[in-house]
Amino acid sequence: MQKVVFVPAHGEPIYKERQVKVPTGETKKGWLGNEKEVTRTESRVELVGESDCKIDGKRLANDINEEIANLIKDGYSISTIQDITSGSYAYKYQSMHLTSEPRLTGGTEAVSGEGAFGYGYGFGYTSGVLLLAEKQ
């Protein structure tokens, strides 16, 4: 009996340093006599998301090891490990219609006809890994 397990890849974590106000536990009197909490500013590094173009290789390796250990515990042996590659792309194309008109200052004319421009790019990345296991 065979079993196929997909282990997804995740993007590298993105961290950002943020300034946060932290209460000191002290209070002070304000202008009108009411008490105001005293705070100080601290820098903290916070997780703000995942990269959409860089794979977290350490996490993928740990996830693969965890799945392999689970399969072996359930009596399977790994016969094949295959990476799954996906891709993305973007492009832009624009056509322009040009006209021709005589110039007042000389005997030349402005260019006429059609013009166009465009660009495009694409790239591949690892979506995850397939593990093919067979029951022993």
Side-chain angles (χ1 to χ4, degrees):
M1 181 173 159
Q2 293 184 334
K3 184 174 185 177
V4 177
V5 178
F6 177 69
V7 181
H10 298 275
E12 277 188 1
I14 299 172
Y15 297 98
K16 196 171 210 175
E17 188 173 319
R18 298 189 188 229
Q19 302 295 321
V20 293
K21 291 187 178 186
V22 178
T24 62
E26 301 173 0
T27 58
K28 67 178 182 179
K29 295 247 182 200
W31 283 87
L32 301 174
N34 51 347
E35 290 195 3
K36 182 179 178 185
E37 192 173 55
V38 177
T39 61
R40 71 173 186 272
T41 303
E42 287 184 358
S43 292
R44 291 198 181 157
V45 177
E46 295 179 353
L47 177 66
V48 294
E50 283 187 357
S51 173
D52 61 354
C53 62
K54 291 183 181 178
I55 299 300
D56 187 349
K58 288 180 183 177
R59 180 176 177 183
L60 180 59
N62 289 335
D63 292 348
I64 291 169
N65 282 335
E66 189 176 305
E67 278 300 328
I68 289 173
N70 289 338
L71 288 166
I72 291 171
K73 183 180 76 179
D74 293 341
Y76 288 89
S77 65
I78 307 301
S79 61
T80 306
I81 299 176
Q82 178 67 49
D83 65 317
I84 303 298
T85 305
S86 294
S88 189
Y89 67 92
Y91 68 92
K92 183 175 184 178
Y93 172 79
Q94 187 171 348
S95 176
M96 300 175 290
H97 299 287
L98 304 175
T99 60
S100 173
E101 296 185 19
R103 295 185 180 163
L104 298 174
T105 58
T108 62
E109 279 188 49
V111 176
S112 65
E114 289 191 23
F117 74 91
Y119 68 86
Y121 64 88
F123 58 92
Y125 58 91
T126 302
S127 297
V129 174
L130 282 180
L131 304 175
L132 178 60
E134 294 181 20
K135 190 80 164 181
Q136 292 183 344

